[in-house]
Amino acid sequence: MNIEIGKTGDGRSIGLPLKFANRHGLITGATGTGKSCSLQRLAEEFSAAGVPVFAADIKGDLSGIATVAPVTFWDVFGRKGHPIRTSVQDMGPVLLARMLNLNEAQAGTLAIALKRAEDQADFLLTLDDLRWQLQDMYEDRETVCQVYGNITAASIATIQRNILTLEQQGGAHLFGEPPFDIRDLMRVVNGSEGQSKGVVNLLHADQLMEAPQLYGTLLYWMLTELFRKLPEMGDLEKPRMVFFFDEAHLLFKDAPKHLVDSIERIVRLVRSKGIGVYFVTQSPSDVPDGVLAQLGNRIQHALRAYTPKEQRFVKAAARAFRPNKDVDVEKAVLEMGVGEALISTLVDDGVPMPVERIRVTMPAGQVGPISDLERSVIIEKSALRVTYPAMVEGARHVWEFQQRQRAARGLDALPPLEYRPQQAMTMDEVLAPLTRMHQRPARNYGRELFVGTVLMAAAGVMLMVATSLG
């Protein structure tokens, strides 16, 4: 079974065999050449074939896929989708050190902090928990050095400062509850015609991109979670899930060698879990050679070569394809228009086919973002809305109004109104507590004062009689 990607100039359809889709892939090209359309086309086709998809929506324009495919929106900040949260302990010292931009000595101190917390059965959930653990280590440095190895006050202070920087970038939203379960990305639903469709999971990442290391580390952590929690599957007729890694250069930029080696190992091994990983970036040179060698399916949009260095990249990209005597790859890379691409996918026995020049088929869904109202409706109807409650922009104002309303009614000793999003309350229901309050019979304070006075006088007389008798 193939998914169609585009057509050649003579009308031949070029596609990607689903059984080789978990051999990973690469989508490259200069800005404005059509990478996003290729990504959306592939995501739609995978979804139609019953394969769940995950993709980071950098510019917000991938949300148009919701017009033809089931979509779940995610957002670390919880404003444009369901929140993604984990714990400091589960993130681990390697990825957390990358997120905090620590050097080797500082990363070692961080590893000691997490190990010490584990030994003390002290679960580190949030960045505040990590901060307190570091402070406790600072106060007990002598014992910590004897048990775990040398730490310095300077390293602890640097980690504390970098935690503050991460919080200012919004990284604190990633740590907390409810914990994110990676298997919630792998849902398949029944379409209107009874056909199974894979859910397209879109991570809203425009604000996340302001902290590039947070973005890159988050996506790598999600990929690692897939590897950890999924069983071995071997070769399948179609992948269990496809993971698109947009702006992939952010994962590798300034990454230490041990992290790059770890990424290469995960990419190599996650194939056996039935997961296909597709890197999306401007140039193949953005991806290390060890990872690049694992990417069997390639779509190359036009490149722009204005400098000698860029011209070398063009030649390298041309040499990466299996030759086709009918296609001058090096010339085509420079002259292709928007929506055109060079493509090579794995065919029989997993061998790359000769390169072809195609025009990518336009996505069936809306090209461009949907409205905030449409997004809010999709989030409200999501099957995950209870597990991962989102604070979408429209709902946030409703929630703030409810909080003010609850506070105001609490001052008047009135019960709070129950918010029912699926069923509007009538005005009689809203006013009922006030109506009942005003319908209560008025108290006769004069009569109550008279009765109280008589009772006090009677008590005084009885007291005098008892005294005289005594």
Side-chain angles (χ1 to χ4, degrees), residues 334-353:
L334 296 174
E335 69 179 17
M336 287 188 300
V338 177
E340 289 187 287
L342 297 170
I343 184 171
S344 177
T345 62
L346 299 179
V347 288
D348 297 335
D349 298 326
V351 177
M353 74 177 197

Side-chain angles (χ1 to χ4, degrees), residues 161-315:
R161 288 196 303 270
N162 290 9
I163 289 175
L164 178 60
T165 301
L166 182 62
E167 287 178 330
Q168 292 173 337
Q169 295 173 341
H173 291 84
L174 180 59
F175 302 100
E177 293 182 327
F180 173 69
D181 188 345
I182 197 68
R183 286 164 291 205
D184 286 329
L185 297 180
M186 305 182 66
R187 295 182 301 118
V188 178
V189 299
N190 291 325
S192 57
E193 300 177 356
Q195 180 184 7
S196 295
K197 286 192 171 186
V199 174
V200 179
N201 300 273
L202 295 180
L203 174 65
H204 188 75
D206 60 346
Q207 185 176 350
L208 195 61
M209 289 295 293
E210 296 177 7
Q213 287 190 339
L214 174 61
Y215 167 78
T217 308
L218 170 63
L219 263 64
Y220 176 61
W221 169 76
M222 296 175 73
L223 187 59
T224 304
E225 286 290 288
L226 286 171
F227 176 73
R228 289 174 181 169
K229 295 186 177 180
L230 296 183
E232 294 283 336
M233 300 299 294
D235 291 327
L236 303 173
E237 289 301 314
K238 62 182 180 182
R240 296 185 65 190
M241 182 181 176
V242 171
F243 194 100
F244 287 97
F245 206 134
D246 201 1
E247 299 294 340
H249 66 280
L250 297 177
L251 176 60
F252 304 106
K253 184 179 180 182
D254 299 328
K257 186 178 184 305
H258 71 271
L259 180 58
V260 175
D261 292 341
S262 176
I263 296 169
E264 180 183 341
R265 183 172 61 254
I266 290 291
V267 171
R268 183 187 301 113
L269 298 177
V270 79
R271 180 193 67 81
S272 63
K273 308 281 187 172
I275 306 298
V277 183
Y278 287 72
F279 294 94
V280 185
T281 187
Q282 291 198 7
S283 171
S285 62
D286 295 334
V287 182
D289 291 341
V291 177
L292 202 60
Q294 311 298 321
L295 312 180
N297 304 296
R298 301 194 179 190
I299 299 176
Q300 175 68 66
H301 289 273
L303 293 175
R304 304 294 178 243
Y306 301 114
T307 67
K309 182 178 180 181
E310 292 172 336
Q311 290 170 2
R312 290 196 298 271
F313 290 158
V314 169
K315 293 179 180 179

